[in-house]
Amino acid sequence: MGIFDFLKSDKKKAHEAADTAKEQVEEKGAATPAVAAGPGSAMGGKYVDAAEATKAAAERMAAAAPPRRVSHTPTPGSAAHKSVAAAPEPPVARTRPAPPPPAMHAPHTPTPGSAAHKSVAAAPVAAKRAYTVKPGDSLSEIARRELGNEARWRELYAMNRGVIGSHPDLVRPGMILTLPH
């Protein structure tokens, strides 16, 4: 039997159960007339029968379902919680505390006005390398000679844009450039 046959058989069983419920409601309706179906009723008999059929189907389903176990956990504000004695705490062994979990974000960097900044020793400032431009120099020549790679001229220009100006090809003798490490 394939999966689709299984689904078809379940669907068929559901239709048969609905038909059986409908027949039972019709038999019950024939035995006892509906109260709200009288001549002065605003609702017709078919609406009352549908409501009765729904109620009967719900009752049958509840009767056929396995009983549910209800476990209630008392909440701190309930009376049941107050009447239950608390479980004793297990003895705690005195050991070294566990290391703190690794930080998920960057550690706090103290600001100059904070107390933490005053308690942290200042890091030694690395000596900046400086280069004085000579006649005939270009940024690519300086990058090749001082940094070992001619292609680093863009990095050199980015660091010294304030000194050089908006034209990287206009480097004048006597300019003092800061070199990257």
Side-chain angles (χ1 to χ4, degrees):
M1 181 159 93
I3 191 165
F4 295 110
D5 295 333
F6 177 73
L7 293 173
K8 287 179 185 176
S9 67
D10 281 350
K11 200 173 197 180
K12 186 176 180 182
K13 288 178 186 176
H15 284 296
E16 289 174 357
D19 290 341
T20 307
K22 187 175 180 181
E23 290 172 5
Q24 288 176 354
V25 169
E26 288 173 359
E27 290 173 5
K28 185 177 177 184
T32 58
V35 176
S41 172
M43 293 184 1
K46 82 175 188 183
Y47 295 113
V48 174
D49 290 341
E52 289 176 2
T54 303
K55 184 178 178 183
E59 289 172 357
R60 280 192 310 279
M61 288 174 39
R68 290 184 357 191
R69 288 184 68 188
V70 178
S71 63
H72 175 71
T73 305
T75 60
S78 68
H81 183 270
K82 294 174 184 167
S83 66
V84 176
E89 293 283 329
V92 178
R94 300 290 179 196
T95 61
R96 291 187 309 181
M104 293 298 188
H105 53 81
H108 172 71
T109 304
T111 59
S114 69
H117 182 268
K118 294 172 184 163
S119 65
V120 175
V125 178
K128 292 185 178 181
R129 290 179 31 192
Y131 177 80
T132 305
V133 179
K134 298 176 184 135
D137 277 346
S138 66
L139 288 180
S140 59
E141 278 293 314
I142 297 168
R144 183 180 55 77
R145 191 177 327 116
E146 298 295 321
L147 304 176
N149 186 351
E150 188 174 294
R152 289 184 70 186
W153 74 266
R154 288 182 181 88
E155 183 181 355
L156 189 59
Y157 174 63
M159 287 186 73
N160 296 287
R161 188 179 305 246
V163 176
I164 299 170
S166 61
H167 299 288
D169 54 338
L170 295 178
V171 181
R172 293 187 194 96
M175 288 183 171
I176 299 174
L177 305 178
T178 304
L179 300 177
H181 296 282

